Amino acid sequence: MSKRIVIALGGNALGNTLPEQAAAVKITARAIVDLIEDGNQVVVAHGNGPQVGIINNAMAALQKEDPSQGFTPLSVCGAMSQAYIGYDLQNAFREELLNRGICNMPVCSIVTQVEVDPADPAFENPTKPIGKFMTEAEAKAYQESTGNPVKEDAGRGWRRYVASPKPKHIIEAGAIRALTEDGHLVICCGGGGIPVYRTEKNHLKGAAAVIDKDFAAELLAEAVEADVLLILTEVEKAAIRFGKPDQQDLDRISLAEAARYAAEGQFGVGSMLPKVEAAMKFVRYNPSKKAIITSLDQAVQALEGRTGTVVTFA
C-alpha cells in the first residue's frame, strides 16, 4: 500500500568530504528510489554536520585573507550547505530514477528556513560545536573579538559552540507540500533548516544556531501529513544497554515504552536520543501513524516490517 514517507538522512548517507559525498549520494539514491519504485511518495530531509563546518572554516579563512569580505553568519553557511548537498542529491536521484525508467518525476531542492523561538532556553546553553579546532589561547581571543562562545571539545581542542533550539515552523512548508502533492521528489530542511526568527515588519533574521535534523524532519512529517517518519542512521535498530554484553535491540516499542527508556538514559544524548524523541513526537501528534529508526541499507525491509525499530502510539 502506497505511503507518504518523510526520510531523515543521517550523515553516513552524505560522507564527510566532497569526493565522499559524490560517492555516498549514489548509494543513498538507490535506497531511496527503491522506496519510490514500490509506489511510495517520498520527501527527503538531511543533515549537514561536516559540510556546514567546512563552509564555515572556508569563509573564516576568506575573511582572514581579505578583511573587507566581512563575517559570514552561520545561517548563510547553512544556506550554502543546503544548496550544494541538494545539488548532489537531486542529480543522484534524477539519474537513478531515469535509469529505472521513472521519467515523469521532477526532483527539486528547496533552501528551507525553520522558525525558532529567540527565547528558547537553548540559546543560554550552546551545545553544538562548529568550525575548526583552536588552542585555548586562540579560542579565548576569538571569543573576545567576536562574542561567540567557545568550549573545549572532548579533549581535542577548543571550538565555537552554538545553540540547538527546537524548530517551531517550517517557513516554506506550503511550497514543500504543494510540490509533494504534485508528484515532485522534494529535498528540503537541510541540516535541520536555516534557523530564523521574526523581527519587525515580518523580517526573518538568521540565528547563530543549529537545529537537529531529526526534529526538523518530524515537523516536516507533520506539515506534509506523512504516514511514516523514517529516520535513517548508522545502525539497524535502536537498542537499550547499548554496547554492553546484555545489549537488547528494540523491534517495536510503544510511545510509553520509548518514554520510559529515554527517562532511564538508555539513548545517547548526541546520537540516538534525538531520533527517539522525534519518533515519539510524531506518533504523539498522530496516533494512527508510525516512526521507524533503521539504517539506510535496511530502509525497504524496515518499511515492510522486517527490521528496524518501529515506534507506535500504543
Side-chain angles (χ1 to χ4, degrees), residues 101-222:
I102 304 172
C103 304
N104 58 348
M105 180 172 288
V107 185
C108 63
S109 302
I110 296 183
V111 175
T112 315
Q113 302 172 96
V114 175
E115 186 176 0
V116 299
D117 184 350
D120 190 309
F123 285 105
E124 300 300 319
N125 180 33
T127 58
K128 296 288 187 181
I130 187 80
K132 67 176 184 177
F133 287 95
M134 298 175 277
T135 65
E136 183 176 0
E138 288 172 336
K140 290 184 176 178
Y142 169 80
Q143 180 171 279
E144 187 174 337
S145 65
T146 64
N148 295 324
V150 296
K151 297 181 188 178
E152 191 176 17
D153 184 359
R156 298 179 295 174
W158 290 68
R159 298 175 79 185
R160 176 188 178 188
Y161 272 68
V162 298
S164 184
K166 291 293 190 294
K168 290 175 54 184
H169 171 66
I170 297 169
I171 301 298
E172 288 77 22
I176 294 166
R177 179 162 181 165
L179 288 165
T180 300
E181 292 180 346
D182 198 40
H184 292 62
L185 170 51
V186 181
I187 303 156
C188 57
C189 293
I194 304 162
V196 296
Y197 59 91
R198 296 179 189 273
T199 62
E200 69 284 347
K201 297 183 179 178
N202 292 313
H203 176 68
L204 295 173
K205 181 174 177 60
V210 175
I211 299 170
D212 188 286
K213 69 103 175 42
D214 297 313
F215 291 130
E218 189 283 325
L219 194 61
L220 174 64
E222 292 183 23

Side-chain angles (χ1 to χ4, degrees), residues 265-280:
Q266 295 283 358
F267 308 119
V269 172
S271 53
M272 188 55 70
L273 182 60
K275 295 168 176 54
V276 173
E277 289 180 335
M280 289 166 57

Side-chain angles (χ1 to χ4, degrees), residues 32-162:
I32 302 305
V33 176
D34 282 345
L35 298 174
I36 294 170
E37 203 166 36
D38 284 344
N40 298 295
Q41 192 175 46
V42 170
V43 187
V44 177
H46 60 82
N48 72 342
Q51 293 86 355
V52 74
I54 291 167
I55 293 169
N56 183 75
N57 290 344
M59 301 311 291
L62 174 63
Q63 183 191 15
K64 188 174 181 179
E65 181 180 321
D66 180 4
S68 68
Q69 292 291 334
F71 173 73
T72 304
L74 185 57
S75 55
V76 175
C77 295
M80 292 179 181
S81 75
Q82 285 190 12
Y84 101 71
I85 294 170
Y87 163 69
D88 272 351
L89 280 174
Q90 69 189 31
N91 283 342
F93 288 153
R94 183 178 289 109
E95 180 180 342
E96 188 67 24
L97 288 164
L98 292 174
N99 286 344
R100 299 197 199 187
I102 304 172
C103 304
N104 58 348
M105 180 172 288
V107 185
C108 63
S109 302
I110 296 183
V111 175
T112 315
Q113 302 172 96
V114 175
E115 186 176 0
V116 299
D117 184 350
D120 190 309
F123 285 105
E124 300 300 319
N125 180 33
T127 58
K128 296 288 187 181
I130 187 80
K132 67 176 184 177
F133 287 95
M134 298 175 277
T135 65
E136 183 176 0
E138 288 172 336
K140 290 184 176 178
Y142 169 80
Q143 180 171 279
E144 187 174 337
S145 65
T146 64
N148 295 324
V150 296
K151 297 181 188 178
E152 191 176 17
D153 184 359
R156 298 179 295 174
W158 290 68
R159 298 175 79 185
R160 176 188 178 188
Y161 272 68
V162 298

